[in-house]
């Protein structure tokens, strides 16, 4: 089947990482994929080398009629059957590009909660006009309905994001060596950007570390993730908390990284403290890497961990609960390793790229039959 995926930009975010894994594996599932981008970003080289046809355009206006015409031409020339976008701006351009083009099916994915009114209104317009809407978790579907007021009852399908295990193979780089952390030290960490909106919650982790470090010897913590424009104060607050607690020498803020598989391979515990999520790819990646995990108890993270069966869980923002769970994990090697094994098994069945593409192809085929 001939499919076009459109991404507005190629930044190093969760939606782009998901799309990249799809590109690298599409042919195995019978998808002849064309990837069209409306702008560049940190993943552009990877998309160019992904094995699918890559077309780089340049969106110049919020709704760009020239871009719409270029996409329409690509659809017609390649006899595309399905177009698929990853956020409302993608969906809007695809919707306009396919008007009057017979037989083309439209699909829009919802990767996370919607940040502003403009995108909510775009989503409200697009949802009933798409042939299918994909949401990455039941928890996000409920959020979109209850908080954003979107109608997620008709033509919505839950398809979990899936990571490519091949992409998660470590390249042999050592974060411990880079930071001067001894091999016998415990290393815990979180992978997630600092956002200006209430999304990731690194602050709770920083507040919990003082107690953890006082009760368990020889532990370091690493935070990997970029800093969104406007979120600098959040990073500064976390650094200040660690400095005031006297643990700044053992807490490492290493910024955006391209060697996440190497980082995961050296972690004893992966922490994912969050306020709101869709179903973060970082969690899938950690589970597929077999890293024992502790997550906050928001609905999508409970869903991702089989209601907490394969991970430790703490109430959102509860510093003491997170401290105690970390201490328990660090003090019980068997418990920690068992969580890692259980998470790996569950993730292979639910959050691998093969699981994702199997369900995606099934949806595509049902649209073509209809």
């Amino acid at each position: 089947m001939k499919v076009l995926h459109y991404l507005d930009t190629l930044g190093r975010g969760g939606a782009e990482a998901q799309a990249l894994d799809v590109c690298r594996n599409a042919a195995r599932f019978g998808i002849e994929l064309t990837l069209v981008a409306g702008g560049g970003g940190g993943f552009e080289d990877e998309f160019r080398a992904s094995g699918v046809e890559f077309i780089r355009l340049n969106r110049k206006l919020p709704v760009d009629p020239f871009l719409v015409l270029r996409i329409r031409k690509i659809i017609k020339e390649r006899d595309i059957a399905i177009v698929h976008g990853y956020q409302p701006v993608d969906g809007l351009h695809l919707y306009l590009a396919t008007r009057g083009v017979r037989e083309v099916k439209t699909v829009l994915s919802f990767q996370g909660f919607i940040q502003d009114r403009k995108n909510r209104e775009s989503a409200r317009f697009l949802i009933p006009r798409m042939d299918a809407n994909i949401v990455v978790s039941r928890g996000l579907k409920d959020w979109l309905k209850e908080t954003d007021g979107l109608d997620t009852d008709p033509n919505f399908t839950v398809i979990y994001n899936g990571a490519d295990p091949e992409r998660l193979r470590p390249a042999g780089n050592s974060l411990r060596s880079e930071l001067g952390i001894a091999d016998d030290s415990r290393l815990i960490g979180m992978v997630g950007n600092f956002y200006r909106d209430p999304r990731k919650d690194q602050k709770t982790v920083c507040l919990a570390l003082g107690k953890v470090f006082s009760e368990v010897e020889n532990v370091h913590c690493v935070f990997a993730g970029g800093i969104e424009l406007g979120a600098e104060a959040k990073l500064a607050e976390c650094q200040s908390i660690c400095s005031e607690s006297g643990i700044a020498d053992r807490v490492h803020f290493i910024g955006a990284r391209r060697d996440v598989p190497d980082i995961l391979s050296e972690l004893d515990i992966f922490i994912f403290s969050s306020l709101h999520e869709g179903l973060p790819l970082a969690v899938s990646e950690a589970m597929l890497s077999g890293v024992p995990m502790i997550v906050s108890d928001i609905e999508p993270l409970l869903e991702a961990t089989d209601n907490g069966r394969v991970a430790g869980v703490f109430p959102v923002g509860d510093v003491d609960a997170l401290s105690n769970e970390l201490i328990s994990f660090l003090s019980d090697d068997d418990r920690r390793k068992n969580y890692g094994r259980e998470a790996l098994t569950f993730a292979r069945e639910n959050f691998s790229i093969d699981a994702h593409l199997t369900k995606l192809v099934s949806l595509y085929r049902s649209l073509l039959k209809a």
Side-chain angles (χ1 to χ4, degrees):
M1 67 184 77
K2 295 185 177 181
V3 180
L4 182 149
H5 281 203
Y6 175 76
L7 287 167
D8 191 54
T9 62
L10 301 176
R12 304 189 73 82
E16 292 83 1
Q18 178 63 83
L20 180 59
D21 281 351
V22 168
C23 288
R24 287 170 169 167
N25 292 274
R28 292 195 296 114
F29 287 80
I31 301 174
E32 187 177 337
L33 185 60
T34 298
L35 191 285
V36 178
F43 268 140
E44 183 165 348
D45 289 344
E46 285 92 333
F47 275 106
R48 290 186 180 278
S50 66
V52 304
E53 181 184 26
F54 175 83
I55 300 173
R56 169 78 148 76
L57 303 179
N58 184 21
R59 179 168 70 90
K60 296 181 178 179
L61 300 168
V63 179
D64 191 331
F66 299 102
L67 179 65
V68 168
L69 291 174
R70 290 289 306 277
I71 296 173
R72 183 192 296 265
K73 184 178 179 182
I74 292 166
I75 291 169
K76 288 182 175 181
E77 289 178 344
R78 287 156 180 78
D79 196 24
I80 297 293
I82 296 171
V83 296
H84 184 163
Y86 286 80
Q87 55 180 323
V89 67
D90 303 349
L92 191 57
H93 283 86
L94 292 177
Y95 170 76
L96 295 171
T98 55
R99 294 312 85 199
V101 183
R102 296 182 59 192
E103 305 295 333
V104 179
K105 303 298 183 181
T106 54
V107 179
L108 179 60
S109 287
F110 290 85
Q111 296 285 322
F113 72 103
I114 301 174
Q115 300 178 37
D116 55 52
R117 184 180 61 82
K118 181 177 67 175
N119 279 296
R120 278 192 294 274
E121 291 307 313
S122 296
R124 198 183 313 280
F125 171 82
L126 289 167
I127 285 171
R129 292 168 172 82
M130 294 289 107
D131 292 294
N133 296 282
I134 295 172
V135 67
V136 297
S137 68
R138 294 187 300 274
L140 178 60
K141 183 180 178 183
D142 292 342
W143 173 275
L144 293 174
K145 181 176 182 178
E146 296 167 5
T147 303
D148 290 328
L150 302 178
D151 184 4
T152 60
D153 290 328
N155 73 337
F156 261 79
T157 301
V158 175
I159 299 181
Y160 294 140
N161 280 341
D164 185 352
E166 289 299 315
R167 180 171 57 81
L168 298 176
R169 292 185 183 276
N173 301 317
S174 174
L175 182 67
R176 290 174 179 266
S177 296
E178 176 185 331
L179 299 177
I181 300 172
D183 290 341
D184 62 349
S185 294
R186 301 292 181 86
L187 182 59
I188 63 180
M190 178 172 171
V191 177
N193 293 333
F194 285 83
Y195 292 102
R196 59 179 176 270
D197 60 332
R199 199 182 313 183
K200 302 296 187 286
D201 183 24
Q202 293 93 341
K203 179 180 176 180
T204 293
V205 181
C206 291
L207 289 169
L209 290 176
K211 181 179 179 181
V212 174
F213 287 1
S214 68
E215 297 197 19
V216 183
E217 294 182 350
N218 210 13
V219 181
H220 286 250
C221 182
V222 60
F223 290 92
I227 300 92
E228 186 180 56
L229 186 64
E232 296 85 357
K234 290 187 175 182
L235 171 63
E237 183 179 20
C238 286
Q239 292 172 324
S240 177
I241 289 169
C242 296
S243 179
E244 291 172 4
S245 300
I247 59 173
D249 60 326
R250 287 181 285 165
V251 183
H252 312 273
F253 298 90
I254 59 174
R257 302 285 295 215
R258 305 185 75 163
D259 58 345
V260 170
D262 290 297
I263 294 172
L264 292 175
S265 72
E266 292 192 301
L267 289 183
D268 294 287
I269 301 171
F270 179 83
I271 311 165
F272 206 80
S273 177
S274 188
L275 304 171
H276 303 296
E277 290 293 341
L279 196 149
L281 199 61
V283 169
S284 302
E285 291 172 347
M287 294 171 74
L288 286 166
S289 300
V291 186
M293 184 164 53
I294 299 174
V295 301
S296 47
D297 66 348
I298 60 175
E299 187 175 353
L301 295 183
L302 291 176
E303 188 175 342
T305 58
D306 199 17
N307 202 32
R309 181 181 66 84
V310 300
V313 177
F314 69 98
V316 174
D318 191 324
V319 173
D320 287 337
L322 175 56
S323 297
N324 292 335
E325 194 71 357
L326 281 167
I327 291 167
S328 175
F329 264 53
L330 290 167
S331 304
D332 190 337
D333 290 347
D334 289 338
R335 180 184 181 218
R336 189 176 67 252
K337 291 176 182 177
N338 183 62
Y339 270 119
R341 286 192 296 267
E342 293 290 334
L344 176 58
T345 299
F346 185 69
R348 282 173 173 166
E349 295 172 356
N350 294 277
F351 306 125
S352 67
I353 191 61
D354 283 18
H356 175 82
L357 277 168
T358 296
K359 293 180 179 178
L360 186 62
V361 167
S362 177
L363 174 65
Y364 285 170
R365 286 176 176 162
S366 71
L367 293 178
L368 294 178
K369 286 180 181 178

